mmCIF file with all atom_site columns, all heavy atoms in Angstrom:
data_model
loop_
_atom_site.group_PDB
_atom_site.id
_atom_site.type_symbol
_atom_site.label_atom_id
_atom_site.label_alt_id
_atom_site.label_comp_id
_atom_site.label_asym_id
_atom_site.label_entity_id
_atom_site.label_seq_id
_atom_site.pdbx_PDB_ins_code
_atom_site.Cartn_x
_atom_site.Cartn_y
_atom_site.Cartn_z
_atom_site.occupancy
_atom_site.B_iso_or_equiv
_atom_site.pdbx_formal_charge
_atom_site.auth_seq_id
_atom_site.auth_comp_id
_atom_site.auth_asym_id
_atom_site.auth_atom_id
_atom_site.pdbx_PDB_model_num
ATOM 1   N N   . SER A 1 10 ? -38.880 -4.297  56.118 1.00 46.00 ? 10 SER A N   1
ATOM 2   C CA  . SER A 1 10 ? -39.648 -3.544  57.105 1.00 46.00 ? 10 SER A CA  1
ATOM 3   C C   . SER A 1 10 ? -39.945 -4.453  58.285 1.00 46.00 ? 10 SER A C   1
ATOM 4   O O   . SER A 1 10 ? -40.649 -5.452  58.153 1.00 46.00 ? 10 SER A O   1
ATOM 5   C CB  . SER A 1 10 ? -40.966 -3.049  56.493 1.00 46.00 ? 10 SER A CB  1
ATOM 6   O OG  . SER A 1 10 ? -41.753 -2.401  57.469 1.00 46.00 ? 10 SER A OG  1
ATOM 7   N N   . ASP A 1 11 ? -39.338 -4.157  59.437 1.00 64.00 ? 11 ASP A N   1
ATOM 8   C CA  . ASP A 1 11 ? -39.532 -4.973  60.622 1.00 64.00 ? 11 ASP A CA  1
ATOM 9   C C   . ASP A 1 11 ? -40.906 -4.655  61.199 1.00 64.00 ? 11 ASP A C   1
ATOM 10  O O   . ASP A 1 11 ? -41.119 -3.617  61.813 1.00 64.00 ? 11 ASP A O   1
ATOM 11  C CB  . ASP A 1 11 ? -38.430 -4.672  61.645 1.00 64.00 ? 11 ASP A CB  1
ATOM 12  C CG  . ASP A 1 11 ? -38.408 -5.726  62.753 1.00 64.00 ? 11 ASP A CG  1
ATOM 13  O OD1 . ASP A 1 11 ? -39.460 -6.332  62.992 1.00 64.00 ? 11 ASP A OD1 1
ATOM 14  O OD2 . ASP A 1 11 ? -37.350 -5.919  63.352 1.00 64.00 ? 11 ASP A OD2 1
ATOM 15  N N   . ASP A 1 12 ? -41.847 -5.577  60.997 1.00 82.00 ? 12 ASP A N   1
ATOM 16  C CA  . ASP A 1 12 ? -43.234 -5.320  61.366 1.00 82.00 ? 12 ASP A CA  1
ATOM 17  C C   . ASP A 1 12 ? -43.623 -6.052  62.655 1.00 82.00 ? 12 ASP A C   1
ATOM 18  O O   . ASP A 1 12 ? -44.788 -6.305  62.892 1.00 82.00 ? 12 ASP A O   1
ATOM 19  C CB  . ASP A 1 12 ? -44.163 -5.757  60.223 1.00 82.00 ? 12 ASP A CB  1
ATOM 20  C CG  . ASP A 1 12 ? -45.572 -5.167  60.371 1.00 82.00 ? 12 ASP A CG  1
ATOM 21  O OD1 . ASP A 1 12 ? -45.674 -4.010  60.808 1.00 82.00 ? 12 ASP A OD1 1
ATOM 22  O OD2 . ASP A 1 12 ? -46.541 -5.878  60.065 1.00 82.00 ? 12 ASP A OD2 1
ATOM 23  N N   . ARG A 1 13 ? -42.627 -6.367  63.493 1.00 90.00 ? 13 ARG A N   1
ATOM 24  C CA  . ARG A 1 13 ? -42.946 -7.070  64.734 1.00 90.00 ? 13 ARG A CA  1
ATOM 25  C C   . ARG A 1 13 ? -43.593 -6.116  65.738 1.00 90.00 ? 13 ARG A C   1
ATOM 26  O O   . ARG A 1 13 ? -43.188 -4.970  65.878 1.00 90.00 ? 13 ARG A O   1
ATOM 27  C CB  . ARG A 1 13 ? -41.680 -7.653  65.351 1.00 90.00 ? 13 ARG A CB  1
ATOM 28  C CG  . ARG A 1 13 ? -41.085 -8.826  64.589 1.00 90.00 ? 13 ARG A CG  1
ATOM 29  C CD  . ARG A 1 13 ? -39.772 -9.264  65.236 1.00 90.00 ? 13 ARG A CD  1
ATOM 30  N NE  . ARG A 1 13 ? -38.762 -8.233  65.130 1.00 90.00 ? 13 ARG A NE  1
ATOM 31  C CZ  . ARG A 1 13 ? -37.707 -8.137  65.946 1.00 90.00 ? 13 ARG A CZ  1
ATOM 32  N NH1 . ARG A 1 13 ? -37.560 -8.977  66.938 1.00 90.00 ? 13 ARG A NH1 1
ATOM 33  N NH2 . ARG A 1 13 ? -36.810 -7.181  65.759 1.00 90.00 ? 13 ARG A NH2 1
ATOM 34  N N   . PRO A 1 14 ? -44.573 -6.599  66.497 1.00 93.00 ? 14 PRO A N   1
ATOM 35  C CA  . PRO A 1 14 ? -45.162 -5.768  67.546 1.00 93.00 ? 14 PRO A CA  1
ATOM 36  C C   . PRO A 1 14 ? -44.200 -5.653  68.724 1.00 93.00 ? 14 PRO A C   1
ATOM 37  O O   . PRO A 1 14 ? -43.232 -6.418  68.842 1.00 93.00 ? 14 PRO A O   1
ATOM 38  C CB  . PRO A 1 14 ? -46.420 -6.545  67.944 1.00 93.00 ? 14 PRO A CB  1
ATOM 39  C CG  . PRO A 1 14 ? -46.095 -7.967  67.625 1.00 93.00 ? 14 PRO A CG  1
ATOM 40  C CD  . PRO A 1 14 ? -45.229 -7.916  66.389 1.00 93.00 ? 14 PRO A CD  1
ATOM 41  N N   . LEU A 1 15 ? -44.476 -4.718  69.611 1.00 94.00 ? 15 LEU A N   1
ATOM 42  C CA  . LEU A 1 15 ? -43.618 -4.510  70.774 1.00 94.00 ? 15 LEU A CA  1
ATOM 43  C C   . LEU A 1 15 ? -43.495 -5.790  71.597 1.00 94.00 ? 15 LEU A C   1
ATOM 44  O O   . LEU A 1 15 ? -42.428 -6.086  72.135 1.00 94.00 ? 15 LEU A O   1
ATOM 45  C CB  . LEU A 1 15 ? -44.177 -3.375  71.636 1.00 94.00 ? 15 LEU A CB  1
ATOM 46  C CG  . LEU A 1 15 ? -43.391 -3.065  72.923 1.00 94.00 ? 15 LEU A CG  1
ATOM 47  C CD1 . LEU A 1 15 ? -41.991 -2.558  72.592 1.00 94.00 ? 15 LEU A CD1 1
ATOM 48  C CD2 . LEU A 1 15 ? -44.140 -2.049  73.778 1.00 94.00 ? 15 LEU A CD2 1
ATOM 49  N N   . SER A 1 16 ? -44.565 -6.548  71.714 1.00 92.00 ? 16 SER A N   1
ATOM 50  C CA  . SER A 1 16 ? -44.541 -7.767  72.519 1.00 92.00 ? 16 SER A CA  1
ATOM 51  C C   . SER A 1 16 ? -43.513 -8.767  72.016 1.00 92.00 ? 16 SER A C   1
ATOM 52  O O   . SER A 1 16 ? -43.016 -9.596  72.789 1.00 92.00 ? 16 SER A O   1
ATOM 53  C CB  . SER A 1 16 ? -45.931 -8.412  72.541 1.00 92.00 ? 16 SER A CB  1
ATOM 54  O OG  . SER A 1 16 ? -46.357 -8.736  71.226 1.00 92.00 ? 16 SER A OG  1
ATOM 55  N N   . GLU A 1 17 ? -43.178 -8.719  70.717 1.00 92.00 ? 17 GLU A N   1
ATOM 56  C CA  . GLU A 1 17 ? -42.161 -9.605  70.162 1.00 92.00 ? 17 GLU A CA  1
ATOM 57  C C   . GLU A 1 17 ? -40.780 -8.968  70.188 1.00 92.00 ? 17 GLU A C   1
ATOM 58  O O   . GLU A 1 17 ? -39.770 -9.664  70.317 1.00 92.00 ? 17 GLU A O   1
ATOM 59  C CB  . GLU A 1 17 ? -42.525 -9.994  68.726 1.00 92.00 ? 17 GLU A CB  1
ATOM 60  C CG  . GLU A 1 17 ? -43.758 -10.876 68.631 1.00 92.00 ? 17 GLU A CG  1
ATOM 61  C CD  . GLU A 1 17 ? -44.045 -11.305 67.197 1.00 92.00 ? 17 GLU A CD  1
ATOM 62  O OE1 . GLU A 1 17 ? -43.144 -11.137 66.346 1.00 92.00 ? 17 GLU A OE1 1
ATOM 63  O OE2 . GLU A 1 17 ? -45.156 -11.794 66.936 1.00 92.00 ? 17 GLU A OE2 1
ATOM 64  N N   . VAL A 1 18 ? -40.730 -7.664  70.069 1.00 94.00 ? 18 VAL A N   1
ATOM 65  C CA  . VAL A 1 18 ? -39.441 -6.960  70.068 1.00 94.00 ? 18 VAL A CA  1
ATOM 66  C C   . VAL A 1 18 ? -38.852 -6.906  71.471 1.00 94.00 ? 18 VAL A C   1
ATOM 67  O O   . VAL A 1 18 ? -37.643 -7.079  71.666 1.00 94.00 ? 18 VAL A O   1
ATOM 68  C CB  . VAL A 1 18 ? -39.604 -5.538  69.499 1.00 94.00 ? 18 VAL A CB  1
ATOM 69  C CG1 . VAL A 1 18 ? -38.366 -4.688  69.767 1.00 94.00 ? 18 VAL A CG1 1
ATOM 70  C CG2 . VAL A 1 18 ? -39.883 -5.601  68.003 1.00 94.00 ? 18 VAL A CG2 1
ATOM 71  N N   . ALA A 1 19 ? -39.704 -6.663  72.474 1.00 94.00 ? 19 ALA A N   1
ATOM 72  C CA  . ALA A 1 19 ? -39.226 -6.464  73.843 1.00 94.00 ? 19 ALA A CA  1
ATOM 73  C C   . ALA A 1 19 ? -38.800 -7.780  74.475 1.00 94.00 ? 19 ALA A C   1
ATOM 74  O O   . ALA A 1 19 ? -39.508 -8.787  74.393 1.00 94.00 ? 19 ALA A O   1
ATOM 75  C CB  . ALA A 1 19 ? -40.308 -5.807  74.689 1.00 94.00 ? 19 ALA A CB  1
ATOM 76  N N   . LYS A 1 20 ? -37.660 -7.761  75.109 1.00 92.00 ? 20 LYS A N   1
ATOM 77  C CA  . LYS A 1 20 ? -37.199 -8.914  75.882 1.00 92.00 ? 20 LYS A CA  1
ATOM 78  C C   . LYS A 1 20 ? -38.019 -9.041  77.157 1.00 92.00 ? 20 LYS A C   1
ATOM 79  O O   . LYS A 1 20 ? -38.347 -10.144 77.605 1.00 92.00 ? 20 LYS A O   1
ATOM 80  C CB  . LYS A 1 20 ? -35.714 -8.751  76.217 1.00 92.00 ? 20 LYS A CB  1
ATOM 81  C CG  . LYS A 1 20 ? -35.078 -9.930  76.930 1.00 92.00 ? 20 LYS A CG  1
ATOM 82  C CD  . LYS A 1 20 ? -33.586 -9.678  77.111 1.00 92.00 ? 20 LYS A CD  1
ATOM 83  C CE  . LYS A 1 20 ? -32.902 -10.852 77.799 1.00 92.00 ? 20 LYS A CE  1
ATOM 84  N NZ  . LYS A 1 20 ? -31.436 -10.614 77.924 1.00 92.00 ? 20 LYS A NZ  1
ATOM 85  N N   . ARG A 1 21 ? -38.332 -7.901  77.754 1.00 92.00 ? 21 ARG A N   1
ATOM 86  C CA  . ARG A 1 21 ? -39.229 -7.844  78.912 1.00 92.00 ? 21 ARG A CA  1
ATOM 87  C C   . ARG A 1 21 ? -40.199 -6.691  78.709 1.00 92.00 ? 21 ARG A C   1
ATOM 88  O O   . ARG A 1 21 ? -39.792 -5.595  78.328 1.00 92.00 ? 21 ARG A O   1
ATOM 89  C CB  . ARG A 1 21 ? -38.449 -7.644  80.214 1.00 92.00 ? 21 ARG A CB  1
ATOM 90  C CG  . ARG A 1 21 ? -37.638 -8.850  80.659 1.00 92.00 ? 21 ARG A CG  1
ATOM 91  C CD  . ARG A 1 21 ? -36.964 -8.604  81.992 1.00 92.00 ? 21 ARG A CD  1
ATOM 92  N NE  . ARG A 1 21 ? -36.305 -9.798  82.495 1.00 92.00 ? 21 ARG A NE  1
ATOM 93  C CZ  . ARG A 1 21 ? -35.054 -10.133 82.203 1.00 92.00 ? 21 ARG A CZ  1
ATOM 94  N NH1 . ARG A 1 21 ? -34.340 -9.353  81.407 1.00 92.00 ? 21 ARG A NH1 1
ATOM 95  N NH2 . ARG A 1 21 ? -34.519 -11.233 82.696 1.00 92.00 ? 21 ARG A NH2 1
ATOM 96  N N   . LEU A 1 22 ? -41.464 -6.930  78.982 1.00 94.00 ? 22 LEU A N   1
ATOM 97  C CA  . LEU A 1 22 ? -42.484 -5.906  78.846 1.00 94.00 ? 22 LEU A CA  1
ATOM 98  C C   . LEU A 1 22 ? -43.404 -5.998  80.055 1.00 94.00 ? 22 LEU A C   1
ATOM 99  O O   . LEU A 1 22 ? -44.120 -6.987  80.221 1.00 94.00 ? 22 LEU A O   1
ATOM 100 C CB  . LEU A 1 22 ? -43.277 -6.088  77.550 1.00 94.00 ? 22 LEU A CB  1
ATOM 101 C CG  . LEU A 1 22 ? -44.410 -5.094  77.295 1.00 94.00 ? 22 LEU A CG  1
ATOM 102 C CD1 . LEU A 1 22 ? -43.882 -3.655  77.260 1.00 94.00 ? 22 LEU A CD1 1
ATOM 103 C CD2 . LEU A 1 22 ? -45.134 -5.427  75.997 1.00 94.00 ? 22 LEU A CD2 1
ATOM 104 N N   . ILE A 1 23 ? -43.362 -4.982  80.906 1.00 94.00 ? 23 ILE A N   1
ATOM 105 C CA  . ILE A 1 23 ? -44.162 -4.967  82.125 1.00 94.00 ? 23 ILE A CA  1
ATOM 106 C C   . ILE A 1 23 ? -45.041 -3.729  82.090 1.00 94.00 ? 23 ILE A C   1
ATOM 107 O O   . ILE A 1 23 ? -44.562 -2.595  82.196 1.00 94.00 ? 23 ILE A O   1
ATOM 108 C CB  . ILE A 1 23 ? -43.252 -4.980  83.370 1.00 94.00 ? 23 ILE A CB  1
ATOM 109 C CG1 . ILE A 1 23 ? -42.437 -6.284  83.364 1.00 94.00 ? 23 ILE A CG1 1
ATOM 110 C CG2 . ILE A 1 23 ? -44.072 -4.849  84.649 1.00 94.00 ? 23 ILE A CG2 1
ATOM 111 C CD1 . ILE A 1 23 ? -41.358 -6.336  84.394 1.00 94.00 ? 23 ILE A CD1 1
ATOM 112 N N   . ARG A 1 24 ? -46.319 -3.959  81.913 1.00 95.00 ? 24 ARG A N   1
ATOM 113 C CA  . ARG A 1 24 ? -47.272 -2.867  81.732 1.00 95.00 ? 24 ARG A CA  1
ATOM 114 C C   . ARG A 1 24 ? -47.827 -2.391  83.065 1.00 95.00 ? 24 ARG A C   1
ATOM 115 O O   . ARG A 1 24 ? -47.920 -3.162  84.015 1.00 95.00 ? 24 ARG A O   1
ATOM 116 C CB  . ARG A 1 24 ? -48.409 -3.338  80.827 1.00 95.00 ? 24 ARG A CB  1
ATOM 117 C CG  . ARG A 1 24 ? -47.976 -3.636  79.393 1.00 95.00 ? 24 ARG A CG  1
ATOM 118 C CD  . ARG A 1 24 ? -48.963 -4.515  78.666 1.00 95.00 ? 24 ARG A CD  1
ATOM 119 N NE  . ARG A 1 24 ? -48.991 -5.857  79.237 1.00 95.00 ? 24 ARG A NE  1
ATOM 120 C CZ  . ARG A 1 24 ? -49.629 -6.883  78.687 1.00 95.00 ? 24 ARG A CZ  1
ATOM 121 N NH1 . ARG A 1 24 ? -50.286 -6.705  77.542 1.00 95.00 ? 24 ARG A NH1 1
ATOM 122 N NH2 . ARG A 1 24 ? -49.615 -8.069  79.254 1.00 95.00 ? 24 ARG A NH2 1
ATOM 123 N N   . PRO A 1 25 ? -48.208 -1.114  83.129 1.00 95.00 ? 25 PRO A N   1
ATOM 124 C CA  . PRO A 1 25 ? -48.777 -0.587  84.377 1.00 95.00 ? 25 PRO A CA  1
ATOM 125 C C   . PRO A 1 25 ? -50.186 -1.112  84.620 1.00 95.00 ? 25 PRO A C   1
ATOM 126 O O   . PRO A 1 25 ? -50.860 -1.576  83.699 1.00 95.00 ? 25 PRO A O   1
ATOM 127 C CB  . PRO A 1 25 ? -48.777 0.928   84.152 1.00 95.00 ? 25 PRO A CB  1
ATOM 128 C CG  . PRO A 1 25 ? -48.888 1.073   82.672 1.00 95.00 ? 25 PRO A CG  1
ATOM 129 C CD  . PRO A 1 25 ? -48.110 -0.077  82.092 1.00 95.00 ? 25 PRO A CD  1
#
Side-chain angles (χ1 to χ4, degrees):
S10 176
D11 193 334
D12 196 37
R13 290 176 295 157
L15 179 64
S16 59
E17 292 183 14
V18 168
K20 184 176 181 178
R21 289 183 174 88
L22 179 59
I23 298 171
R24 294 161 293 189

